[in-house]
């Protein structure tokens, strides 16, 4: 049997709130055995971790920060250049990943 992995899902979006469990069940029935929940803004991180913990056999999550969402972010996640390059100062990177780690390790 062929198994599929959905490598980019946003099941945490409000549009799935009413039927998220059904969506996951339909995906599994269709052969989608793994789903990677993408959380590309700090406001989405905790929900993505919670979803992956609730369905560990089916859902994993990827936490990050989409460049167009930098506006209004705390200084520790703002890019260090005005050109919005994907490079941060070393200290900014460490603070960013420590914040992600704090959320993931929360029980």
């Amino acid at each position: 049997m062929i198994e599929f992995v959905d490598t980019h899902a946003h099941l945490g979006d409000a549009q799935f709130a009413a039927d998220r469990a059904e969506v996951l069940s339909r995906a599994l029935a269709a052969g989608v055995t793994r789903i990677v929940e993408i959380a590309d803004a700090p406001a989405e991180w905790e929900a993505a971790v919670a979803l992956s913990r609730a369905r560990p056999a089916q859902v994993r999550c990827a936490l990050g920060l989409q460049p167009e969402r930098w506006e209004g972010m705390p200084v520790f996640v703002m890019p260090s250049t005005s050109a919005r390059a994907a490079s941060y100062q070393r200290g900014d990177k460490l603070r960013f990943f420590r914040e992600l780690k704090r959320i993931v390790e929360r029980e």
Side-chain angles (χ1 to χ4, degrees):
M1 176 179 162
I2 295 176
E3 295 182 2
F4 295 97
V5 176
D6 182 340
T7 62
H8 194 114
H10 291 277
L11 296 170
D13 286 354
Q15 66 183 342
F16 296 110
D19 65 346
R20 188 172 291 113
E22 293 171 27
V23 169
L24 289 164
S25 293
R26 287 194 308 266
L28 193 56
V32 179
T33 58
R34 294 284 183 154
I35 297 172
V36 179
E37 171 68 6
I38 304 298
D40 58 9
E44 300 171 354
W45 294 342
E46 290 188 42
V49 170
L51 179 61
S52 67
R53 286 183 175 158
R55 297 223 180 208
Q58 187 179 16
V59 179
R60 297 290 193 261
C61 65
L63 309 179
L65 183 61
Q66 194 75 332
E68 53 267 14
R69 296 189 180 212
W70 286 341
E71 195 66 38
M73 290 288 104
V75 173
F76 77 90
V77 296
M78 292 295 287
S80 59
T81 66
S82 60
R84 290 187 151 192
S87 64
Y88 299 95
Q89 295 293 337
R90 186 174 190 279
D92 293 338
K93 285 182 185 177
L94 290 174
R95 282 189 293 278
F96 175 75
F97 286 108
R98 283 185 183 126
E99 176 66 10
L100 287 176
K101 184 176 185 270
R102 182 190 65 76
I103 290 169
V104 171
E105 289 179 343
R106 189 179 305 160
E107 293 291 326

